[in-house]
């Protein structure tokens, strides 16, 4: 559940953001991506498939927000990757999960509502 940010100039400054301080279930992510002003981590498995997308401010490397996809559709758990394109973020399901075949699209500008 930890995201690391480091300075690309000399690798001297290292910062760690512990997502589990916001929600203990925020661990076991497959990938991450940046979109707009935020970084996003892609939920995969934290002992079981899960669907909580976490986003955080890139500027302050803080302000963690959570969007639980499984509250929309209980099958939306376990993703293999994600990316941003235009104003939207996309999550690609992991093969063999209940989400298999369901690509998720969400608005990068709106705050999570669940």
């Amino acid at each position: 559940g930890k995201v690391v940010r480091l300075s690309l100039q000399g690798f001297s400054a290292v910062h760690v953001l512990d997502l589990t301080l916001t929600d203990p279930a925020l661990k076991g992510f497959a990938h991450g991506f940046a979109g707009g002003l935020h970084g996003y981590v892609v939920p995969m498995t934290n002992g079981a498939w899960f669907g909580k997308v976490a986003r955080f401010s890139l500027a302050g490397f803080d302000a963690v927000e959570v969007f639980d996809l499984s509250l929309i559709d209980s099958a939306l758990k376990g993703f293999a990757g994600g990316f941003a394109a235009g104003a939207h973020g996309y999550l690609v399901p992991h093969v063999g999960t209940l989400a298999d075949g369901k690509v998720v699209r969400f608005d990068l500008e709106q705050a999570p509502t669940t």
Side-chain angles (χ1 to χ4, degrees):
K2 295 181 180 179
V3 179
V4 177
R5 177 174 76 174
L6 54 99
S7 169
L8 295 178
Q9 297 177 344
F11 300 107
S12 58
V14 177
H15 300 95
V16 178
L17 177 61
D18 188 348
L19 301 174
T20 64
L21 296 177
T22 299
D23 181 336
L26 293 179
K27 55 186 176 183
F29 296 96
H31 294 280
F33 63 92
L37 302 173
H38 296 93
Y40 296 82
V41 287
V42 178
M44 188 174 195
T45 179
N46 59 8
W49 301 117
F50 78 113
K52 291 184 177 181
V53 177
R55 84 174 186 178
F56 53 90
S57 165
L58 291 173
F61 201 55
D62 58 3
V64 177
E65 297 175 281
V66 181
F67 183 43
D68 189 349
L69 298 170
S70 67
L71 295 177
I72 296 169
D73 179 340
S74 62
L76 295 179
K77 300 175 185 177
F79 295 88
F83 60 93
H88 294 96
Y90 297 85
L91 300 179
V92 180
H94 190 280
V95 67
T97 66
L98 292 175
D100 195 0
K102 297 182 177 184
V103 175
V104 173
R105 182 180 84 165
F106 58 93
D107 189 329
L108 294 174
E109 299 302 319
Q110 288 188 319
T113 57
T114 63

